[in-house]
Amino acid sequence: LGQEPPLKFRRIMFCAATALAADSPLQPPPRCGSVLLSVRGGEILVSYGGQTARGELLSDVTLFSVRLNSWVKAAVQCEESPAGHSAADDFPDRRVWHAGASLEPVRPSKALVFGGFDGMDYSDSLLLFTTDASDMRKPSITWVDPRAEGKPPCPRFGHSANMYTPATAAAATAAGGGGTGGSSKFVVFGGRGGEVAGVQTHLSDVAVLEVSAGRMQWRPVRVHGKLPAGRFKHSAAVVQNQLVVFGGYGAAKAAVGRLRGGATGRSAVCL
């Protein structure tokens, strides 16, 4: 640790060089429980959904250009009416405490979103969107129903979702192979599920969606060893081939503070 440079945090001023007003309509309102996803090699940040301080659930999608240092208005469209929607104009849904991950490096302009809470029910829906920022004067977001095969994990919110790309797939992408050297894995862990005998469940399961060229499929996961305690609103990160989970709320809303990961030797979720 002594050889590593210190971490340095800096505040990002969400305004362009032309000094956008603080109350600019391009800047999304304050919220919690949203997702903020990095796409196109970190050039674009995409904010979706969340909940305001007044409890209003949101469905807005906003882009932030790192290069321009500015929020950018994007046209939001749907390629087709997804399952359960009578029309594309009521999509995407309002939701909070969902989770998502970019498909980088295999598909740098795309990202997946799973689960969440819509104010009435927990969700097990999987959403895919594509970002077209070739012309930053008129960027667009296109939502697609990915029609993943297999059985999805149970409905939940407050879970984590991370993308794991094996070295073979990353190398194929770098060589211009489009990620044909292997599939990436969209890994969902934990969250808060429905009630069992009148008690809310705190999940500790691991679900994996394999993402390859032209196909997505939920795969059953064989679990070895002891899983971390069930939790929701935690944090997780992929480190090499391991999923490291920290914090969150467990049973009776007790905060969970133990780091679980292969680096400590206590627990590991190997991908």
Side-chain angles (χ1 to χ4, degrees), residues 61 102 180 233:
V61 181
S102 167
T180 57
K233 295 184 181 179

Side-chain angles (χ1 to χ4, degrees), residues 106-125:
V106 177
R107 302 181 188 178
S109 64
K110 299 179 184 292
L112 288 166
V113 176
F114 175 78
F117 179 63
D118 66 4
M120 295 291 291
D121 298 304
Y122 301 159
S123 173
D124 63 353
S125 64

Side-chain angles (χ1 to χ4, degrees), residues 173-215:
T173 301
T180 57
S183 61
S184 296
K185 293 179 173 64
F186 180 73
V187 185
V188 174
F189 171 75
R192 189 169 181 175
E195 293 186 359
V196 175
V199 178
Q200 291 282 352
T201 57
H202 297 83
L203 303 169
S204 63
D205 58 337
V206 180
V208 172
L209 177 75
E210 287 197 353
V211 181
S212 57
R215 185 181 186 187

Side-chain angles (χ1 to χ4, degrees), residues 162-259:
N162 301 82
M163 187 64 64
Y164 165 64
T165 301
T168 52
T173 301
T180 57
S183 61
S184 296
K185 293 179 173 64
F186 180 73
V187 185
V188 174
F189 171 75
R192 189 169 181 175
E195 293 186 359
V196 175
V199 178
Q200 291 282 352
T201 57
H202 297 83
L203 303 169
S204 63
D205 58 337
V206 180
V208 172
L209 177 75
E210 287 197 353
V211 181
S212 57
R215 185 181 186 187
M216 296 186 187
Q217 184 172 20
W218 291 105
R219 295 284 191 182
V221 178
R222 291 186 299 174
V223 178
H224 303 276
K226 184 179 180 180
L227 280 171
R231 64 190 71 197
F232 72 109
K233 295 184 181 179
H234 52 280
S235 298
V238 170
V239 181
Q240 297 180 352
N241 70 328
Q242 296 179 344
L243 182 70
V244 180
V245 179
F246 179 73
Y249 286 104
K253 287 195 172 182
V256 182
R258 186 178 180 188
L259 179 69

Side-chain angles (χ1 to χ4, degrees), residues 43-108:
E43 295 180 2
I44 302 293
L45 302 178
V46 181
S47 168
Y48 164 48
Q51 185 177 28
T52 68
R54 295 182 177 180
E56 177 188 3
L57 298 189
L58 304 170
S59 63
D60 59 335
V61 181
T62 313
L63 270 62
F64 182 82
S65 169
V66 175
R67 180 172 58 84
L68 299 177
N69 196 32
S70 173
W71 291 102
V72 182
K73 183 176 178 58
V76 180
Q77 54 196 1
C78 186
E79 192 172 88
E80 59 182 317
S81 297
H85 291 261
S86 58
D89 57 5
D90 66 346
F91 188 78
D93 308 270
R94 291 178 172 85
R95 64 178 67 194
V96 66
W97 299 116
H98 41 300
S102 167
L103 299 189
E104 294 183 330
V106 177
R107 302 181 188 178

Side-chain angles (χ1 to χ4, degrees), residues 5-24:
L7 294 176
K8 183 178 181 180
F9 288 87
R10 69 183 182 91
R11 183 180 179 186
I12 299 178
M13 299 302 294
F14 292 127
C15 59
T18 53
L20 290 174
D23 57 352
S24 168

